[in-house]
Short mmCIF file of all heavy atoms in Angstrom, two decimals:
data_model
loop_
_atom_site.label_atom_id
_atom_site.label_comp_id
_atom_site.label_asym_id
_atom_site.label_seq_id
_atom_site.Cartn_x
_atom_site.Cartn_y
_atom_site.Cartn_z
N VAL T 35 -8.10 18.45 11.17
CA VAL T 35 -8.44 18.42 12.60
C VAL T 35 -9.38 17.25 12.88
O VAL T 35 -9.27 16.58 13.91
CB VAL T 35 -9.11 19.74 13.04
CG1 VAL T 35 -9.51 19.68 14.50
CG2 VAL T 35 -8.20 20.92 12.75
N LEU T 36 -10.29 16.98 11.93
CA LEU T 36 -11.22 15.86 12.09
C LEU T 36 -10.58 14.54 11.67
O LEU T 36 -11.09 13.47 11.96
CB LEU T 36 -12.49 16.08 11.26
CG LEU T 36 -13.26 17.39 11.40
CD1 LEU T 36 -14.59 17.27 10.65
CD2 LEU T 36 -13.51 17.73 12.85
N GLY T 37 -9.50 14.64 10.90
CA GLY T 37 -8.83 13.44 10.43
C GLY T 37 -9.50 12.80 9.23
O GLY T 37 -9.36 11.60 9.00
N VAL T 38 -10.26 13.60 8.44
CA VAL T 38 -10.95 13.05 7.28
C VAL T 38 -10.65 13.88 6.02
O VAL T 38 -10.20 15.02 6.11
CB VAL T 38 -12.49 13.01 7.50
CG1 VAL T 38 -12.82 12.13 8.69
CG2 VAL T 38 -13.07 14.40 7.66
N THR T 39 -10.91 13.27 4.87
CA THR T 39 -10.77 13.97 3.59
C THR T 39 -12.09 14.67 3.26
O THR T 39 -13.11 14.45 3.93
CB THR T 39 -10.48 12.99 2.46
OG1 THR T 39 -11.61 12.13 2.30
CG2 THR T 39 -9.24 12.15 2.78
N TYR T 40 -12.09 15.46 2.17
CA TYR T 40 -13.32 16.16 1.82
C TYR T 40 -14.48 15.22 1.44
O TYR T 40 -15.59 15.39 1.96
CB TYR T 40 -13.05 17.20 0.71
CG TYR T 40 -14.28 17.94 0.33
CD1 TYR T 40 -14.91 18.78 1.25
CD2 TYR T 40 -14.86 17.77 -0.92
CE1 TYR T 40 -16.09 19.44 0.92
CE2 TYR T 40 -16.04 18.42 -1.25
CZ TYR T 40 -16.64 19.25 -0.34
OH TYR T 40 -17.80 19.88 -0.67
N PRO T 41 -14.24 14.22 0.59
CA PRO T 41 -15.36 13.31 0.29
C PRO T 41 -15.84 12.54 1.53
O PRO T 41 -17.03 12.25 1.67
CB PRO T 41 -14.77 12.36 -0.75
CG PRO T 41 -13.68 13.14 -1.40
CD PRO T 41 -13.09 13.98 -0.31
N GLN T 42 -14.92 12.24 2.43
CA GLN T 42 -15.32 11.57 3.68
C GLN T 42 -16.19 12.51 4.52
O GLN T 42 -17.18 12.09 5.13
CB GLN T 42 -14.07 11.15 4.46
CG GLN T 42 -13.32 9.98 3.83
CD GLN T 42 -11.97 9.73 4.45
OE1 GLN T 42 -11.59 10.36 5.44
NE2 GLN T 42 -11.21 8.81 3.87
N TYR T 43 -15.82 13.79 4.51
CA TYR T 43 -16.59 14.81 5.24
C TYR T 43 -18.01 14.90 4.66
O TYR T 43 -18.99 15.01 5.40
CB TYR T 43 -15.86 16.14 5.12
CG TYR T 43 -16.59 17.37 5.57
CD1 TYR T 43 -16.85 17.60 6.93
CD2 TYR T 43 -17.00 18.33 4.66
CE1 TYR T 43 -17.51 18.76 7.34
CE2 TYR T 43 -17.65 19.48 5.06
CZ TYR T 43 -17.91 19.69 6.40
OH TYR T 43 -18.55 20.84 6.80
N LEU T 44 -18.12 14.81 3.34
CA LEU T 44 -19.45 14.83 2.71
C LEU T 44 -20.30 13.67 3.21
O LEU T 44 -21.49 13.84 3.49
CB LEU T 44 -19.32 14.75 1.18
CG LEU T 44 -18.78 15.99 0.46
CD1 LEU T 44 -18.70 15.74 -1.04
CD2 LEU T 44 -19.65 17.22 0.75
N CYS T 45 -19.70 12.50 3.35
CA CYS T 45 -20.44 11.36 3.88
C CYS T 45 -20.90 11.62 5.31
O CYS T 45 -22.03 11.29 5.67
CB CYS T 45 -19.56 10.10 3.88
SG CYS T 45 -19.42 9.36 2.26
N LEU T 46 -20.02 12.22 6.09
CA LEU T 46 -20.40 12.53 7.47
C LEU T 46 -21.55 13.54 7.50
O LEU T 46 -22.49 13.40 8.29
CB LEU T 46 -19.19 13.08 8.24
CG LEU T 46 -18.08 12.06 8.51
CD1 LEU T 46 -16.91 12.72 9.23
CD2 LEU T 46 -18.61 10.87 9.31
N LEU T 47 -21.51 14.54 6.62
CA LEU T 47 -22.61 15.52 6.56
C LEU T 47 -23.94 14.80 6.34
O LEU T 47 -24.94 15.10 7.00
CB LEU T 47 -22.39 16.51 5.40
CG LEU T 47 -21.31 17.57 5.56
CD1 LEU T 47 -21.27 18.44 4.30
CD2 LEU T 47 -21.57 18.43 6.79
N VAL T 48 -23.93 13.85 5.40
CA VAL T 48 -25.14 13.10 5.08
C VAL T 48 -25.61 12.29 6.28
O VAL T 48 -26.80 12.26 6.61
CB VAL T 48 -24.88 12.18 3.87
CG1 VAL T 48 -25.97 11.14 3.72
CG2 VAL T 48 -24.76 13.01 2.60
N LEU T 49 -24.66 11.65 6.95
CA LEU T 49 -25.02 10.79 8.09
C LEU T 49 -25.42 11.60 9.32
O LEU T 49 -26.23 11.15 10.13
CB LEU T 49 -23.86 9.84 8.41
CG LEU T 49 -23.60 8.78 7.34
CD1 LEU T 49 -22.24 8.12 7.54
CD2 LEU T 49 -24.71 7.73 7.33
N TRP T 50 -24.86 12.79 9.46
CA TRP T 50 -25.27 13.65 10.58
C TRP T 50 -26.71 14.10 10.38
O TRP T 50 -27.44 14.32 11.32
CB TRP T 50 -24.35 14.87 10.69
CG TRP T 50 -23.00 14.54 11.28
CD1 TRP T 50 -22.72 13.55 12.18
CD2 TRP T 50 -21.75 15.19 11.01
NE1 TRP T 50 -21.38 13.55 12.48
CE2 TRP T 50 -20.77 14.54 11.78
CE3 TRP T 50 -21.37 16.25 10.18
CZ2 TRP T 50 -19.42 14.93 11.76
CZ3 TRP T 50 -20.05 16.63 10.15
CH2 TRP T 50 -19.08 15.97 10.94
N GLU T 51 -27.11 14.21 9.11
CA GLU T 51 -28.50 14.58 8.82
C GLU T 51 -29.43 13.42 9.09
O GLU T 51 -30.54 13.58 9.59
CB GLU T 51 -28.63 15.01 7.36
CG GLU T 51 -28.62 16.52 7.17
CD GLU T 51 -28.80 16.90 5.72
OE1 GLU T 51 -29.79 16.48 5.09
OE2 GLU T 51 -27.93 17.64 5.20
N ARG T 52 -29.00 12.21 8.69
CA ARG T 52 -29.82 11.03 8.94
C ARG T 52 -28.92 9.80 8.99
O ARG T 52 -28.30 9.41 8.01
CB ARG T 52 -30.86 10.83 7.82
CG ARG T 52 -31.77 9.65 8.14
CD ARG T 52 -32.43 9.12 6.92
NE ARG T 52 -33.68 9.86 6.64
CZ ARG T 52 -34.89 9.33 6.76
NH1 ARG T 52 -35.02 8.08 7.15
NH2 ARG T 52 -35.94 10.02 6.45
#
Side-chain angles (χ1 to χ4, degrees):
Chain T
V35 178
L36 308 189
V38 299
T39 65
Y40 180 65
Q42 288 169 6
Y43 169 70
L44 288 179
C45 282
L46 291 178
L47 287 180
V48 165
L49 291 165
W50 285 330
E51 261 182 55
R52 184 202 274 249

